[in-house]
Amino acid sequence: MSAGAAAIRVVVVDDHPTFRIGMSALLAATPGLEVVGQAASRAEAVGVVLGADPDVVIMDLDLGDGSGVDATRELLARRPEVAVLVVTMLDDEHAVYDAIRAGARGYVLKEAQPQEVERSIRSVAGGGLVLGAGVARRAMEGLAARADARPFPQLTDREREVLALLAQGLDNAAIARSLFVTTKTVRNYVYAIFTKLEVKDRAALVVLAREAGFGGDER
């Protein structure tokens, strides 16, 4: 930090006193950071933040009197300029998505090294969005799992387009015109779809596709 630059003002919110006090001491000893408050609950956090006017709030998600997600949402409704950095034990993708939707700018696990926490504080204070390494990996795994949960994940994107058009009742020639390919190419796609979905005729395929939600705007 350049000489004369203001320190980043931090409030630590966590209902576990050992972690809260330890984190506060660690940050207070870090050049360029200033701990201006602590809170042990959702209700206390609101009052402390309003009084201390921090740049960054370190927020646990599991507070004694409520959720850190709700606390984040409430704090940002009153102080939208504050950067909330979630530091928690919870590492599932749902918690990450909920926190980010509530307005948190960062999400780091409590197992993170002190240097990672410091970097994350400086990043969110500067307007950045931070996901710790373990958090980012879990979030990507969750997104991949959701993608694989689509109907017929064994189909390629092009085969899904063809299936959607089939479900709309188009014949091969109409599908070819829609996709700007030859009728032979469409036949090959249809054959591949038959094989992968293990259906014997076009009527059965159309029924299967419509039951899975195809036939609307899948293209």
Side-chain angles (χ1 to χ4, degrees):
M1 190 171 79
S2 62
I8 297 171
R9 298 166 58 82
V10 182
V11 164
V12 179
V13 181
D14 197 294
D15 68 338
H16 289 86
T18 300
F19 180 85
R20 184 179 68 254
I21 294 170
M23 174 64 75
S24 297
L26 175 67
L27 299 180
T30 303
L33 303 182
E34 179 185 1
V35 177
V36 295
Q38 300 180 33
S41 66
R42 173 184 172 183
E44 188 179 348
V46 175
V48 171
V49 169
L50 292 178
D53 194 25
D55 302 302
V56 176
V57 174
I58 302 294
M59 178 69 71
D60 189 18
L61 290 187
D62 187 11
L63 302 176
D65 63 344
S67 164
V69 170
D70 293 334
T72 296
R73 189 177 295 111
E74 185 174 357
L75 290 174
L76 293 179
R78 302 190 185 197
R79 289 289 191 272
E81 72 280 4
V82 173
V84 174
L85 173 64
V86 170
V87 180
T88 182
M89 294 293 293
L90 301 176
D91 66 347
D92 68 278
E93 69 273 14
H94 300 293
V96 177
Y97 301 148
D98 288 345
I100 298 302
R101 280 196 294 266
R105 293 188 197 169
Y107 197 111
V108 177
L109 299 181
K110 286 185 175 179
E111 64 190 29
Q113 294 297 312
Q115 298 90 335
E116 182 180 354
V117 176
E118 179 188 348
R119 286 196 303 269
S120 298
I121 291 172
R122 297 188 189 281
S123 180
V124 298
L129 178 64
V130 176
L131 292 180
V135 175
R137 182 177 63 253
R138 181 63 65 90
M140 291 305 298
E141 290 172 352
L143 289 173
R146 292 184 182 193
D148 289 342
R150 297 181 305 172
F152 316 134
Q154 65 270 45
L155 300 181
T156 66
D157 288 342
R158 189 54 131 179
E159 289 165 353
R160 296 176 70 83
E161 288 183 293
V162 172
L163 182 59
L165 295 171
L166 279 170
Q168 292 173 20
L170 276 63
D171 60 20
N172 286 3
I175 294 173
R177 289 193 298 271
S178 178
L179 299 180
F180 302 101
V181 297
T182 66
T183 303
K184 180 180 179 182
T185 298
V186 173
R187 284 200 303 269
N188 290 337
Y189 283 130
V190 172
Y191 177 77
I193 295 168
F194 279 159
T195 301
K196 290 181 179 181
L197 300 187
E198 299 180 351
V199 294
K200 301 300 183 182
D201 59 61
R202 199 180 190 97
L205 180 59
V206 168
V207 171
L208 183 65
R210 289 179 177 173
E211 288 178 345
F214 284 76
D217 296 324
E218 292 81 3
R219 287 182 293 168

